Amino acid sequence: MDTNHIHQQAIGVFDSGIGGLTVANAIHTHLSKESIYYFGDTNRIPYGTKPASTVLQYCMEISQFLLDQSCKVIVVACNTATAAALPQLRATWPQVPFVGMEPAVKPAVSATKTGKIGVLATQTTFKSPRYQRLLERFVESYECFENPCIGLVELIEAGCWDSRETETLLRSIVEPMLAKGVDTLVLGCTHYPFVKELLQRIAGPAVQIIDPAPAIARRLESILIDKGWQRQRETKPEQKFWVSGDKDALEKALSRLDFQNPNIFRFQSQ
C-alpha cells in the first residue's frame, strides 16, 4: 500500500451485486468527506449458493482490484463473502484494515421483547463458523428462527423491490416466524434493506427490523480515527462504481440512494 497521502485514498466496498450499496450509502451518509470505490460482482451473483472456496477466490480477486485503485480500507459488504473470506483477506494483506459483515444477532437479542428473533440470511452465512459463534455467544436463552430466503437476492437484483412476486416470497418467509411470536427480524444479507419497506408492511409496526449498515459506518469511522486516516478537504471526494455484469441494476439502485453524480464503469477482466 502506498502510504503517501493515505488519508486521501478511497474506501473500497464490494459485494456480490448491488446489495452492498446499502452499506456504501450508510458510509457515504456518515463519512461524507470520504471517497468511495464500489465493486459489485453482478456477473457472478449470487454468492450464497456457491462453495465457500469459490467465494474466497472471488473476494481475493476483487480485493486486489480495489487495492490497485489505492483503497486504504476495504469493507466486505456481503455476509456470505465475510463468512467465506475475511480471515484469509486479513492474512493476505495485514497492512489493510478489512471490515466484514455479520448478522446483527446481538442487537436483535437486546431489542426483542418476546425472546424470539428471525434471521434472514443466505445458506453460506448460516453454515459459517462465524455465524455459529454468534449464536453461541448471544442466543442461548432466546429462540432463533432462520430462513435462507432462496430467490430473494435475484429478485432484488432484478429491481423487483415492491413487486407481487417479492411480496409473496417475503410472506412465505416471515409469516411463519411471526406466527411463532417473532418480534425482531435481522437483515443478514446486504441486499435485503432494499425490501425493508415492503417487509415492514408485511410484518407490521410492532416488529423491529435491524439493518447493520449504520453500525458498519460507525466501525469504519473509528478505524480511520485510530489510524489518523480521515480524508481532508483538499479535493472533492469521488464515488466510483464498477460492476462485472450489466449496469442497469446498479444504475437503478443508485437512483434511490444519496450519491451525487456517481461514476459508473463496466469492469472488463484481463
Side-chain angles (χ1 to χ4, degrees), residues 127-229:
K127 291 176 183 176
S128 70
R130 187 181 180 92
Y131 178 72
Q132 295 304 318
R133 287 194 297 269
L134 273 178
L135 295 187
E136 290 167 9
R137 288 174 62 194
F138 300 116
V139 190
E140 259 187 321
S141 58
Y142 297 82
E143 286 191 79
C144 182
F145 301 87
E146 303 168 347
N147 192 294
C149 304
I150 294 169
L152 183 56
V153 166
E154 290 86 343
L155 286 170
I156 292 169
E157 285 284 326
C160 302
W161 304 329
D162 200 15
S163 70
R164 182 171 296 179
E165 185 179 2
T166 302
E167 180 176 354
T168 299
L169 177 58
L170 285 174
R171 285 189 181 279
S172 74
I173 291 166
V174 301
E175 285 181 345
M177 295 182 180
L178 300 176
K180 292 177 180 176
V182 165
D183 69 345
T184 308
L185 294 171
V186 176
L187 302 182
C189 171
T190 54
H191 279 77
Y192 299 169
F194 279 106
V195 295
K196 184 178 178 181
E197 290 182 12
L198 176 57
L199 189 57
Q200 192 74 70
R201 291 205 307 271
I202 294 169
V207 174
Q208 184 169 344
I209 300 174
I210 299 179
D211 173 8
I216 295 297
R218 294 191 296 271
R219 169 68 180 140
L220 185 57
E221 180 182 37
S222 70
I223 290 171
L224 296 180
I225 291 171
D226 288 346
K227 291 185 170 294
W229 288 359

Side-chain angles (χ1 to χ4, degrees), residues 65-87:
F65 172 79
L66 290 172
L67 292 172
D68 289 344
Q69 311 307 311
S70 297
C71 290
K72 58 188 175 184
V73 181
I74 293 181
V75 179
V76 186
C78 173
N79 288 268
T80 299
T82 296
L86 190 63

Side-chain angles (χ1 to χ4, degrees), residues 108-127:
V109 165
S110 299
T112 181
K113 295 180 175 63
T114 63
K116 299 179 180 182
I117 66 173
V119 182
L120 313 184
T122 67
Q123 292 170 322
T124 302
T125 296
F126 285 135
K127 291 176 183 176

